[in-house]
Amino acid sequence: MQQSVAKPLIRPCTRVWLLMVGLTFVTYSARWLGLTEMGVVLAVLGIALVKAQMVIDYFMGLRRVRGFWRPLLFGYLIVLGGLIITAFALASQ
């Protein structure tokens, strides 16, 4: 006799996509949150880095990968975020 396994209402990749869409709307509405210029930049950059990490983990399939690729891409995100913050800080002086 076969046992039926209950399927989740929303698949995990769909949940991640919906969360990314929600974060995009938060980023879009950052202007109305009343943050300072640097606050907006840091908030938007943080959300962008979280979304990029979600793409790496779920859509590139590296969430359970050990070894070289996941740390390499995480390091890339950290370097990229640092360069963006540096460029913005130098431009606003």
Side-chain angles (χ1 to χ4, degrees):
M1 181 179 224
Q2 292 181 347
Q3 293 181 351
S4 64
V5 177
K7 293 183 181 180
L9 187 61
I10 299 177
R11 294 175 34 187
C13 61
T14 305
R15 275 188 274 141
V16 170
W17 182 80
L18 289 171
L19 179 60
M20 290 179 68
V21 169
L23 289 173
T24 300
F25 283 122
V26 169
T27 302
Y28 179 73
S29 65
R31 183 176 103 190
W32 293 287
L33 295 177
L35 300 173
T36 62
E37 285 185 27
M38 187 56 108
V40 171
V41 169
L42 291 177
V44 168
L45 180 62
I47 289 173
L49 293 177
V50 167
K51 287 170 54 177
Q53 187 65 44
M54 291 170 71
V55 168
I56 290 168
D57 286 346
Y58 293 97
F59 297 109
M60 292 176 67
L62 297 178
R63 185 173 57 156
R64 293 191 174 105
V65 172
R66 295 182 194 202
F68 179 72
W69 288 106
R70 191 164 188 252
L72 177 73
L73 291 173
F74 181 72
Y76 168 75
L77 292 177
I78 296 300
V79 169
L80 183 65
L83 290 173
I84 291 171
I85 289 173
T86 303
F88 184 79
L90 291 174
S92 65
Q93 289 183 353

